[in-house]
Amino acid sequence: MIDPLAIGLIVLALVIALVSLLTTALNKAMGNLLLVALGVLELGLLIQAGFLIAALVRGEGPEETATLIGYMLGTVVIPPVAAFWGVGERSRWGPAVIAVAGFAIPGMVGRMMQIWQGVA
Amino acid sequence: MSGTTNGHDTPVNTDSGHEAGAAAPSSGNGHGGDGHGIGSGPGRVLVAVYAVFALAAGSRAAVQIARQFDEAPLAYSLSAFAAVVYLLLAVALAMGRRTLALVACGIELAGVLIVGTLSLADPEAFPKATVWSGFGSGYVFIPMVLPLIGLYWLSRRRQP
């Protein structure tokens, strides 16, 4: 697992979450900016998943492989589903959906880092 | 919050009518159904939160049951059951199935109250934590708050 990438993903997800909350607070619907940011986040998560899978195949994985794979699949699935679900709602609550995803991703990536380092 | 929901007039969102107007027909739940509107507006956010919890509780339970079911069969089974209820609730809200959503909310509330109380009264029966242990203390009490928000939301969106 590449720590700079993981930390970058956490920061990006948090920024997306905060911008989404702000958009909701300002009573605006989803804009393209949030969608593009979600796309970048998803791309990063896919790259991270690729590195993780490569490491696991080489046998460099941690003990808790199953849990790690579970979190990895979760992070990859959440942004596209959130984008789909958020775009369908043309009101302030669309970006609020994205905020939920934006707060879920950092938690999951953080747990993945812990598992990878064998902390938990 | 001003003008967030519209429990008694129209099923579509009016809180941002200037934007919603063009897209409203495509939202697909403008008419009919016994609980139309419960999956739109703030309901969309609830669906997202329940889905995330279904994913979190479900995948955790799946790993635990697959790897170490014998350690705490009751706790792990309960976690899996909780995940199923969250998923049911998310689907019921998304599809506008009001009765199903109410039942799922009730089960969730009963689950977190019963398991929460039991886990504090008899910790040895729950050697491993579930989503509902200690009233959801492992998940910053969100499992305790979620069913209450769900019930409140369903009562707000009651149609005559």
Side-chain angles (χ1 to χ4, degrees):
Chain A
M1 208 167 159
I2 312 165
D3 279 357
L5 176 61
I7 291 165
L9 290 173
I10 289 174
V11 172
L12 177 60
L14 284 177
V15 169
I16 290 174
L18 291 176
V19 171
S20 303
L21 277 187
L22 190 67
T23 313
T24 297
L26 293 173
N27 200 1
K28 291 204 171 118
M30 284 272 286
N32 283 333
L33 178 71
L34 273 177
L35 277 182
V36 171
L38 261 187
V40 173
L41 180 68
E42 174 69 9
L43 195 65
L45 288 167
L46 283 172
I47 292 171
Q48 177 178 251
F51 278 114
L52 276 176
I53 291 169
L56 290 176
V57 168
R58 283 199 305 268
E60 295 169 7
E63 253 176 75
E64 286 284 335
T65 311
T67 314
L68 186 74
I69 293 173
Y71 276 113
M72 186 189 78
L73 291 179
T75 56
V76 170
V77 167
I78 284 179
V81 173
F84 170 78
W85 193 238
V87 165
E89 173 71 37
R90 300 305 301 166
S91 78
R92 55 156 48 172
W93 300 108
V97 169
I98 309 301
V100 173
F103 282 121
I105 295 287
M108 298 174 84
V109 174
R111 284 287 295 140
M112 284 164 72
M113 290 174 80
Q114 285 182 336
I115 295 168
W116 188 258
Q117 289 153 5
V119 176
Chain B
M1 261 196 284
S2 62
T4 50
T5 55
N6 47 336
H8 49 277
D9 41 19
T10 54
V12 290
N13 284 290
T14 53
D15 55 346
S16 61
H18 51 288
E19 291 150 345
S26 64
S27 68
N29 49 10
H31 299 285
D34 61 335
H36 55 187
I38 60 172
S40 66
R44 284 242 165 195
V45 186
L46 272 185
V47 171
V49 175
Y50 287 133
V52 166
F53 262 79
L55 187 69
S59 46
R60 187 178 173 192
V63 169
Q64 288 172 332
I65 286 175
R67 295 185 43 143
Q68 51 210 5
F69 184 66
D70 295 340
E71 270 182 35
L74 177 62
Y76 295 160
S77 305
L78 273 174
S79 285
F81 176 69
V84 172
V85 178
Y86 283 127
L87 186 64
L88 197 66
L89 191 40
V91 172
L93 275 184
M95 295 177 65
R97 300 283 293 274
R98 190 188 164 76
T99 311
L100 188 61
L102 270 175
V103 170
C105 252
I107 295 175
E108 218 193 319
L109 187 59
V112 74
L113 288 177
I114 294 170
V115 174
T117 309
L118 284 180
S119 66
L120 293 182
D122 185 11
E124 282 169 24
F126 295 89
K128 299 283 174 183
T130 76
V131 202
W132 287 333
S133 295
F135 302 107
S137 56
Y139 293 82
V140 286
F141 296 103
I142 293 174
M144 179 73 237
V145 180
L146 275 184
L148 297 177
I149 296 176
L151 288 173
Y152 171 73
W153 168 244
L154 286 170
S155 70
R156 280 288 300 268
R157 279 273 162 127
R158 177 173 288 128
Q159 297 295 326

